[in-house]
Amino acid sequence: MNAILGIDVGASGIKGALVDVDNGKLHGERFRVPTPHPSTPDAMAAAFAEIVEFFNYKGPIGCGFPAIVKHGVAQSAANIDAGWIGTNIEEVFGKSSGCPVFVTNDADAAGVAEMRYGVGKGENGLVLLITIGTGLGSCLFYKGMMIPNTELGHVLWKNGKSAEAHASSGARERMKISRKDWADRFSEYLVHLERLFSPDLFILGGGESKFFEQYKTQLHTQARVIPAKLLNNAGIIGAAAYAAEQ
Ligand code: BGC
């Protein structure tokens, strides 16, 4: 078995598990620590190292991170401390864990996992995966090829803010609206993305995908919409797969 530690860094929790990258299955249990607040590079580096220690792991680590990531460097920080912008994530986590760390955007990691091992397997057209959590993440595929850092959670919305400020689960919680009311907003967002990209398929991931049955009839796109199969583990699995490729 080819087991690699995958770590999904989120705005509310940092989760890790050993992943068999031959089949995308978790090997053993998952370990989660809450994301420190403020989520500065130093505080996050310590939380990251705690996960690596829990698994007593030595080897390459794959990491999904909630920001634009170019050559290991964070270029944005929508839901994490602004101190990350311009910081080399691979160096910071590599130093605190003592292992080589390979970092990619969290939604891109989730997309890779779903396309390789989950519901996207065999889908060859234009596929848009949206992760719904504190923020909105996106991952775009065409004929199996991924375009990284699409950041479609930040398309400008009516109020001049990012769409994620209006249609993420973070927004739903902040505004204290029901899931039903939220789903109408989210549908509007998907229809907007459909106008821009004409996807063949939308895959919905992140924490909110667990509740898909509750709101699926409220989503009014032409394209098919399906929930991710790997649910909240997609980020971990895709991160491990990303490290395996480096
Ligand atoms: C970030 C993205 C991230 C998404 C989901 C957004 O606010 O800008 O990089 O993929 O949240 O975590």
Side-chain angles (χ1 to χ4, degrees):
M1 193 196 46
N2 191 5
I4 290 190
L5 182 60
I7 299 187
D8 184 17
V9 175
S12 60
I14 307 179
K15 299 160 285 187
L18 288 168
V19 179
D20 181 346
V21 288
D22 293 331
N23 60 16
K25 295 222 178 343
L26 294 199
H27 181 67
E29 60 189 315
R30 235 169 71 133
F31 182 65
R32 179 186 191 273
V33 298
T35 302
H37 289 288
S39 50
T40 57
D42 281 353
M44 299 268 267
F48 188 92
E50 199 183 323
I51 295 187
V52 182
E53 269 160 38
F54 173 86
F55 290 100
N56 197 14
Y57 179 85
K58 284 270 164 278
I61 300 173
C63 170
F65 195 82
I68 299 170
V69 182
K70 286 186 90 108
H71 312 294
V73 178
Q75 312 278 349
S76 68
N79 293 301
I80 48 169
D81 190 83
W84 276 107
I85 298 176
T87 300
N88 190 315
I89 316 161
E90 293 182 345
E91 276 176 24
V92 169
F93 288 165
K95 204 163 151 211
S96 74
S97 65
C99 296
V101 180
F102 302 96
V103 182
T104 187
N105 171 265
D106 58 349
D108 287 343
V112 164
E114 286 297 338
M115 294 301 280
R116 189 170 299 178
Y117 312 107
V119 288
K121 217 169 157 180
E123 293 286 349
N124 210 25
L126 199 135
V127 181
L128 191 46
L129 176 125
I130 303 293
T131 62
I132 316 162
T134 308
L136 288 176
S138 63
C139 184
L140 183 66
F141 284 87
Y142 183 57
K143 292 189 191 288
M145 168 86 87
M146 196 254 280
I147 317 293
N149 292 312
T150 45
E151 291 290 328
L152 299 179
H154 294 285
V155 289
L156 278 191
W157 207 244
K158 296 166 201 164
N159 49 12
K161 291 188 181 157
S162 283
E164 75 171 18
H166 175 86
S168 61
S169 351
R172 179 169 57 72
E173 282 158 20
R174 249 190 334 273
M175 289 181 280
K176 298 192 171 51
I177 56 173
S178 64
R179 179 160 288 119
K180 193 164 182 303
D181 288 346
W182 163 82
D184 289 337
R185 291 166 173 241
F186 185 71
S187 174
E188 228 186 315
Y189 170 62
L190 285 191
V191 168
H192 182 68
L193 293 183
E194 182 160 52
R195 244 179 251 135
L196 300 176
F197 294 96
S198 306
D200 299 292
L201 174 70
F202 282 105
I203 301 176
L204 304 186
E208 205 65 33
S209 59
K210 282 190 291 229
F211 306 104
F212 183 73
E213 287 302 312
Q214 292 179 24
Y215 57 82
K216 65 175 184 191
T217 54
Q218 286 178 258
L219 306 178
H220 301 297
T221 59
Q222 306 276 322
R224 284 177 296 144
V225 186
I226 56 174
K229 176 171 155 196
L230 308 168
L231 303 171
N232 249 349
N233 290 334
I236 296 175
I237 296 167
Y242 178 74
E245 275 168 13
Q246 306 306 307

